Amino acid sequence: MKILVVGCRWFLDDQDVSSRDFLWLMKRAGGNTGNMFIGEAVKRHLERLLPDVEKIRFLGRWEMFHDADITPEWLDERFDAVVMAAANILNGTTDYGYLAKFLEQTHLPFLILGIGAQGEDTSARISVPRGTQRLLKLAAERSRGIGVRGPFTADVVRRLGIHNIEVTGCPTMYLRSGEDARINVPAAGDISRAALHMMRDRQEYPLHQTLKTVQRQMLADCVARGFDYVVQTNFSEAWTAFHKKIEKRHLDNITAYLGPEKIPARDLEDFLLNRTHIFFRYGDWKRYMETRQFAFGARFHGNMMALMCGVPALWVTHDTRTRELCDLLHLPHVEPDEIEREGYRFDRMVEKADYSLFNKTYGEQCARFDTFFMKNFDTRP
């Protein structure tokens, strides 16, 4: 079986990323290295669950538009199915009409995994562009179900008249399928190696102002405690972490974000140079995360990388996409306003990381995902 993957591409483990241009790397990541984790997970599930898979190839938008050899006929001749590694693409701005138009001209099965809708809360009404609606309807026709992230996303899709959907969460959640994935949380006083995953590239909702306040406190605390900061998309931190040098414009940007949380300049520069990281290769990120004892913050996939490495994490949820994913898998999470109300303290974050329900249900959740995945590749009538 030969599979073409679209949407999120996987990590660049086959490349020497240190010799690559930073902007080139960020573009491959779709502006967020968490997207690469989604693509990587889809690729690994295909390899794990389809023993007869011969080839898995990624096709990006640029190649689709600029390579004259890439045609619908080319797909039909060389592949048996198309799989979309999806992120939170159900919003008012992202239009996938170009992909719908291209795939409509093929005759291949088409499966979407992990699609999500993003809103401030469950009362939000998501206006899905017509092109993206076409893509969803095509997947509904050519698969045995669309895999959505949670019940909120499921409701958004149903309102479009599509009903063969299944709540599967994100493919990154199930990389420990078949393993003993029980999580034990150490005492806060025993944690000396932790990683913060911070989100500051969006300020869409009122809650994000509260998130900004608590993240300032978290970052200052990480500097003081000798913890690390793993960046996925924040440009100034990402640029500094990749180049391992201080540039004034980026330092000024980070300092401005910190606001009243004053950190001595020398301490901040040392933190940015030596304890701030960004990863474009799966193996690098995984090996690093396996050395941590705890992870926390507002980045869903940074924390999920920790969890898939057996490291306990606490999610700071701030919109529908993060909440529905955490609720589905019984992941411990806390809202920014709760942190602000109680007062941020690291020991309180660790106390909230209760994995009792996750430990009881993870195996069952993995089995459900595997069943959904496999039924889409079952050729029996």
Side-chain angles (χ1 to χ4, degrees), residues 272-286:
L272 292 170
L273 289 173
N274 299 306
R275 287 187 278 126
T276 302
H277 312 279
I278 187 167
F279 300 99
F280 295 97
R281 298 197 299 189
Y282 178 73
D284 293 344
W285 198 349
K286 187 173 185 291

Side-chain angles (χ1 to χ4, degrees), residues 109-231:
F110 174 44
L111 170 64
I112 294 179
L113 284 171
I115 197 166
Q118 183 174 330
E120 182 176 6
D121 54 43
T122 55
S123 67
R125 286 294 175 262
I126 308 299
S127 177
V128 181
R130 290 185 179 181
T132 303
Q133 292 186 39
R134 281 174 60 191
L135 187 72
L136 290 172
K137 290 174 181 177
L138 182 67
E141 294 168 2
R142 296 192 183 182
S143 71
R144 299 193 179 185
I146 297 174
V148 301
R149 288 190 170 186
F152 175 73
T153 301
D155 287 343
V156 171
V157 177
R158 286 192 192 99
R159 285 197 293 271
L160 300 176
I162 299 170
H163 299 281
N164 61 327
I165 54 181
E166 189 160 341
V167 173
T168 59
C170 177
T172 59
M173 294 172 158
Y174 307 107
L175 288 173
R176 298 192 70 188
S177 180
E179 300 179 18
D180 180 358
R182 285 174 293 184
I183 297 294
N184 297 307
V185 183
D190 294 333
I191 297 173
S192 59
R193 302 184 308 279
L196 170 67
H197 301 108
M198 200 165 74
M199 193 280 294
R200 72 178 186 95
D201 56 316
R202 289 177 177 158
Q203 296 294 320
E204 300 173 62
Y205 314 128
L207 186 62
H208 285 156
Q209 187 57 47
T210 306
L211 178 64
K212 181 178 182 179
T213 299
V214 299
Q215 284 189 150
R216 286 170 164 175
Q217 297 167 359
M218 290 176 182
L219 188 62
D221 189 43
C222 283
V223 174
R225 289 176 178 270
F227 292 165
D228 287 5
Y229 174 21
V230 177
V231 190

